[in-house]
Amino acid sequence: MARVVEPLIVGKVIGEVIDNFTPTEKMTVTYSSNKQVFNGHEFFPSAVVSKPRIEVQGGDMRSFFTLVMTDPDVPGPSDPYLREHLHWIVNNIPGTTDASFGKEVVSYESPKPNIGIHRFTFVLFKQKQRQTMSPPSSRDYFNTRRFAAANDLGLPVAAVYFNAQRETAARRR
């Protein structure tokens, strides 16, 4: 399992967004045209406009999960004073299904980095039971750790991130 966590440490997702954890579930994040997210890979913003398919291959139909997607590098990686910017929250995702079976607490906002290379993190938490969550008052200054603590989610069970930077007109595909 160290191999799974190591890229999250190198990419500073562990440390800046979440605490160190032991992955216990498998999560796959796939954008349209079957582009799967792997730690540290780069995506063009034009390729991540629509929300991805999030599959949880763990637990069972009686297990529920919460997914949080953030950008910890807003407005730019050299001075991320708005850290973290919230892009998406889905809760009550049944185990062995995908996020479309959960409840969207905060709607998907596509990545639009302006300055530098941004990390976009997907963090999966296992809920103790089905629960209702209130959306935060703002997408800016979001804190994954505080959100997890306020909703009694504990440590993550899976996480993955990708990088993206502003596209010039010539780079758009």
Side-chain angles (χ1 to χ4, degrees), residues 41-60:
H41 287 204
E42 185 168 353
F43 281 78
F44 292 125
S46 58
V48 294
V49 171
S50 300
K51 63 183 162 187
R53 179 177 170 88
I54 311 290
E55 293 180 71
V56 179
Q57 294 119 359
D60 55 40

Side-chain angles (χ1 to χ4, degrees), residues 58-125:
D60 55 40
M61 291 300 285
R62 293 178 309 249
S63 302
F64 294 98
F65 297 88
T66 296
L67 173 78
V68 176
M69 178 187 178
T70 68
D71 174 356
D73 300 318
V74 175
S78 60
D79 185 20
Y81 63 86
L82 295 177
R83 178 177 290 161
E84 300 163 51
H85 182 79
L86 178 63
H87 282 267
W88 198 24
I89 296 177
V90 182
N91 83 323
N92 293 331
I93 303 167
T96 72
T97 67
D98 66 75
S100 67
F101 289 92
K103 178 173 179 356
E104 198 170 61
V105 177
V106 175
S107 62
Y108 181 79
E109 179 181 271
S110 62
K112 295 180 185 86
N114 284 320
I115 305 164
I117 299 171
H118 290 237
R119 297 164 293 165
F120 293 89
T121 67
F122 295 90
V123 182
L124 187 70
F125 296 93

